[in-house]
Amino acid sequence: CKFRFTVEWDVDGIFFLCGIGNAEHNNHCRIQAAELCFPARLLQGAHREILKDLGGSYANCGVGRNFVFKKEGLYFSRSQVRYLYRDDEFIYNQHATDAQVTAPGSLLKYFNESQDVSYCILGNLFDKETGSGTVINELRSDENNTPVTAALNEVDYSDLLDVTTAHRKAYGLTSDDNLFIAVAWVYTGEMRLLRQFPHVIKVDDTSHTNNEKRPHLTFTSQTSSGKIFTWLRVFLPNKSAGCFRWIFSFVLPKLIGNDILRKIRVAITHGDLQETSQLDVAIRTHFPRVQRVRCGWHLVEKGWQSFCPGERSVQPAKKADFKYLIHIIKYWLYSWMRPGFCETEQEYHVSKACLFSFLQSPRVLAICDDKEYIPQQILEFVTRHVIPHEDYYAFYHRKFVHHFDEFNNCSHEGTNNGVKSGAAAVLPGHDISSAGKRLHFQGKLRCAELAKSAAKEFISRELWCEELHTTHDICTRGQSLIVNEWAMRLKYAVRRCTGINVESWKVVITTTHREIMGSDCTEVSKDWDKLPIPIFHRVRTVTTHSSGRLYCDCGYSHRVGLPCRHTYAVICFECPDYEGPTAKDVSVNWWKSYCHLAYRRDNLESTSQDKLDRLFSYLSGIDIVAGPLMPTKNSQPKSSSEINIDFEQKTLLGCIVNYEEHNVKQILDTYGITKNFNGYNCQTHLAVNYEHIELFQNSWDAPCWKISSREKLKSSLSELLAVVDCCDNETEGEDTVNTVWKQINKATVALRVLSFAKKSTGNLCSSVEVDDKEKEDQQWVSMTQERENKRSRQFVSSNGLR
């Protein structure tokens, strides 16, 4: 195209120069209308209003782009959609003062305008009286809508004062400038859920939620239906002790209240040292009934990734067996945290000793491709990174604590992932204001979802449990748990105890020990009967309380709030015409009416709601450990004499199903555990010991675990070399070596005679004549000594021995 024109300028301005140029257009390629750039400001009408609503709901810009393309056939870029998401008043009528509003200030303004948010903001203000900065906290709660400011002048917050004062100087802030430190907030709907289900809380932080790289700390709990909700969100400047002290010792008592904190029983954390130390301080001060639990998933899975070898450590031919071994060891570690395995401290120590012996057995060494450092590395991981936390993960510490058998915060990790990948996701590029608004919107959306789910359960009736028609007032998850316990009652035998003041019964399993632990579909359970994990056969005792309720020593009703299979077995034994469980036998937390009606402030009248709240609060406070009532006996109970079963509780070592008692005693003696099970010797655990060959012959007979004579001899030689290298007295070491050499020479000669009888050529000693005994012995001894010296040096260097 030859079209052109000339533009010039002078002191008066810009002008076109006439008479120069070409006015003809030609040779242009035609462009389709859909390919032209359509200005976003020209989009008007209902579709523009819909885009504004999408922006208000924090939808992704790609959603708006797809909507415009579907309705108008126009392609808008993400920046154009982002422009349309914003309100016209914000775009065109923004005041000059609003341009200087910071992201924390915008978030604070949003919280003040919202009537459903309680918050705490931590900051540093300049105190004109003292002439220096001071740490202050601004609090607004449901009880007081007017923000209250308090100075944190205690010694406990001196580190925060020093750090923030240094930041004020680094940023060059004046006396009129305020320094934002942290913010914590809770939504009213989430506070209601916390009042309903406060027994177990999970604490963890996540990253990549804002453009300031601030850690995002969240607190979650779980409803009776198994749904996770986040009830407290915090943006911290860092993960220092002062920040966590502010959260646990100030924010929780002030923002949540001591009434709710007193109902918390278990707090699960991932193990951050600063976090756990300040949580322990707050537990001793504000909520002493809380028991801190270390997340089992972080201990086992994350710890294994950091300190243990992977699947590529062995040859491809043994990779499958090594992978199965890893599953077994992890499952063994989880058995210390889960119910049904180690319910007492003594059982825990026995299981621990069996694990040490198993890791140092020739079977594990063979699976590890004869690499001695692999089982040693696994053993060091268990003793140095898992066992030191046994006070915070062992199940026997919380056997009678109401915590729904939770031992990890995997559900919390899933919540953190949903925050950053959901429909209204929080991204690393968002500022504090945008991230806080999106998180608050996610909380409101989650509360609406849980409220709808609770209402649906409240007005519906499950058809899959028509057999137990008396449980329709219990939520769906509670019904499924009761159905399982009710079905398992048939696998137990009951005998009534006589000669004592309190009425009691003995309950014993009548099937294999596989069903003692319940059904398990994990990969580890495929060879359950061959697992080396100790399984204890127990005799349960069910007693009658003065209130007429039944209590079982298994602790299931204490932990979950539902009757156990042992109590149902006793009830059916005494009352054969018993119809089935009812809502009166379970904790109020499992009631549909409690999940739907408790502590709400929307539909019902204030007087009626207050009465319901007082009733539910009373019931939730008294029935945590309540068992079922013994029904009225309308028929003749069964006779105990008809059942030919041993109801006597055996000794601790005798009740292990998959171990022989003498083998367990040998293991306990080897690993330094006393009769009172007071502890163990760490040096004994870390020593290399592969002598227990026969202990697991009957417990795990898989073809892949068959050990050859060479492997058995190799493990013994390795142990012997380790002992010789550790000898302080050289004379004792030389005497031991000479004695061993004599035995080796005798065995060598005998084996070589057999070897030459089978093979005359093709072996190492084919050139040695059988009749020349002295020459043969010298050659064999020299070769053996050289080979074993080399192995000894390699073993010493790899294990750090002297």
Side-chain angles (χ1 to χ4, degrees), residues 435-454:
K437 293 175 182 178
R438 286 172 176 261
L439 291 171
H440 178 59
F441 179 78
Q442 291 180 7
K444 296 174 66 175
L445 193 65
R446 184 62 170 174
C447 288
E449 176 188 358
L450 296 181
K452 183 177 180 180
S453 176

